Amino acid sequence: MRPAPVWLMRQAGRYLPEYRKLRASAGSFLDLCFSPGLAAEVTLQPVRRFGMDAAILFSDILTIPHALGQEVRFVEGTGPVLGPFDPGALQFANGRLDPVYETVRRVRKDLPDGVALIGFAGAPWTVAAYMVEGGSSRDWLKVRRMALGEPERFAALTDLLVEATIDHLSAQAEAGAEALQLFDSWAGLLPPAGIRRWCLEPAQRIAAGLAARHPSVPLILFPRGAGALAPEFAGVGACVGLDTTADPVWAAGAVQGRAVVQGNLDPMLLVIGGDAMERAAREILSALRCGPHIFNLGHGVLPATPPEHVAALRRIVREAV
Ligand code: CP3
């Protein structure tokens, strides 16, 4: 049996000294995302250091609001800050994302054979959440009020985001991305009917749009917090990413028969390392060993993660069989 392939969400970023060094010379975070030479280098850093089985394009889910004309800034210590939400003024200018596709081409050229390049986008619900709130939020009241209280208005925004996302992911596939992940980090803010309407349905439309243009490029869905609804996403994407709360023993029965399962070590265990991390990683590998499994975290790498723990995790997964 071959070991499960492994890559980590947010495998590039502030926990790596080589990232911090490059970041300090790059200007703003969006400047970094739109500088193909630098973004390609940052994408490759964790592949070189750890020998990951896949690279994930270095970019951000908030490049889509930027391309729609809503101002996006990243403020040190605060996170993303978006300009006023004015739905009437939004118009997708996909030329603004051309540097991202150039990054994809450069990374593909420099990646060793056998290492997959994963492109990505934010899912409409999660991107809408940042657009409507104007940034991160503690309780996400505005976007939940709009989705549940003004469904027609919210549907118009979702339609716009579905089209932009199909366009953005297709362009990444054309530039050389071999798999595509849709990050729905805030799916868990919605009740089940809301998850079906604002996360699952848009994912179906995006999957259909991509299948028409790029039938051989698998789609990975990551509906964080979807809980018992995760199996429904397995009917839509080739692969479903489990968040930290999903029990892999349950997922082996409920999800793995219909889709590849990706996940789902708690990123805090990667901060802690040692026996606790090793035990948890082995439990996940063992629970999912009888079906297709891509080893990953249940959410992104935390900035406090010691890089040596990532190297140790990589070894544990490779030697587990
Ligand atoms: O290595 C990779 O995974 C590829 C790059 C990547 C980034 N963001 C780089 C980044 C990916 C896939 C993302 C996705 C993303 N961006 C998500 C979905 C995944 C998740 O974490 O739930 C979300 C919600 C965002 C929006 C976003 N970007 C926030 C809320 C923040 C601020 C919080 C933070 O961690 O600082 C960002 C900034 C960001 N995106 C950084 C990185 C490396 C840190 C900024 C910096 O280096 O100055």
Side-chain angles (χ1 to χ4, degrees):
M1 221 165 85
R2 289 168 58 191
V6 54
W7 68 279
L8 305 179
M9 293 188 278
R10 294 284 191 104
Q11 65 188 16
R14 282 165 301 186
Y15 77 106
L16 288 178
E18 58 270 36
Y19 172 81
R20 292 197 299 271
K21 188 157 167 243
L22 187 148
R23 174 81 183 80
S25 67
S28 77
F29 177 70
L30 272 189
D31 286 343
L32 173 55
C33 291
F34 292 136
S35 305
L38 298 178
E41 169 60 23
V42 172
T43 303
L44 292 165
Q45 285 173 347
V47 177
R48 267 191 222 119
R49 189 192 259 257
F50 306 115
M52 295 297 184
D53 294 305
I56 179 155
L57 166 72
F58 188 83
S59 178
D60 199 85
I61 66 167
L62 299 179
T63 55
I64 292 261
H66 168 82
L68 285 166
Q70 188 173 6
E71 190 207 343
V72 178
R73 287 181 299 130
F74 286 82
V75 178
E76 196 68 48
T78 307
V81 178
L82 283 77
F85 173 64
D86 175 4
L90 298 173
Q91 214 187 350
F92 189 53
N94 57 357
R96 296 188 90 174
L97 299 176
D98 283 348
V100 175
Y101 315 133
E102 177 58 22
T103 305
V104 172
R105 281 188 286 272
R106 292 193 191 195
V107 174
R108 188 55 274 171
K109 197 161 60 61
D110 289 347
L111 266 184
D113 280 349
V115 180
L117 174 54
I118 301 171
F120 74 92
W125 163 249
T126 290
V127 173
Y130 287 98
M131 291 174 73
V132 171
E133 300 285 342
S136 297
S137 165
R138 208 179 60 178
D139 37 28
W140 304 91
L141 293 178
K142 287 187 202 154
V143 72
R144 292 191 293 141
R145 184 188 291 270
M146 194 190 289
L148 302 178
E150 298 177 90
E152 274 155 34
R153 201 166 155 235
F154 197 69
L157 176 58
T158 300
D159 288 349
L160 186 70
L161 288 169
V162 164
E163 291 311 316
T165 306
I166 292 172
D167 201 283
H168 186 41
L169 290 174
S170 295
Q172 292 176 53
E174 265 143 47
E178 297 151 297
L180 299 166
Q181 176 155 326
L182 197 59
F183 284 90
D184 215 345
S185 303
W186 296 111
L189 293 172
L190 289 164
I195 294 181
R196 291 197 176 97
R197 172 130 194 221
W198 302 120
C199 302
L200 186 63
E201 246 182 60
Q204 275 159 341
R205 289 164 62 195
I206 291 166
L210 290 171
R213 298 199 215 170
H214 300 286
S216 62
V217 178
L219 182 65
I220 306 168
L221 301 174
F222 179 59
R224 187 166 75 98
L229 269 56
E232 295 180 35
F233 287 82
V236 177
C239 175
V240 176
L242 302 178
D243 63 55
T244 47
T245 66
D247 179 356
V249 174
W250 166 80
V255 185
Q256 216 172 23
R258 289 193 266 174
V260 178
V261 165
Q262 177 172 281
N264 74 336
L265 184 74
D266 189 326
M268 188 47 74
L269 286 158
L270 191 58
V271 174
I272 295 164
D275 287 349
M277 174 180 82
E278 178 156 358
R279 222 175 307 120
R282 286 188 189 284
E283 271 171 29
I284 291 165
L285 288 164
S286 160
L288 295 168
R289 73 183 179 284
C290 295
H293 177 211
I294 299 169
F295 193 93
N296 205 314
L297 302 177
H299 200 190
V301 174
L302 293 164
T305 304
E308 315 81 75
H309 294 179
V310 178
L313 179 66
R314 178 73 197 88
R315 271 196 308 276
I316 291 163
V317 178
R318 188 165 276 168
E319 290 161 10
V321 189

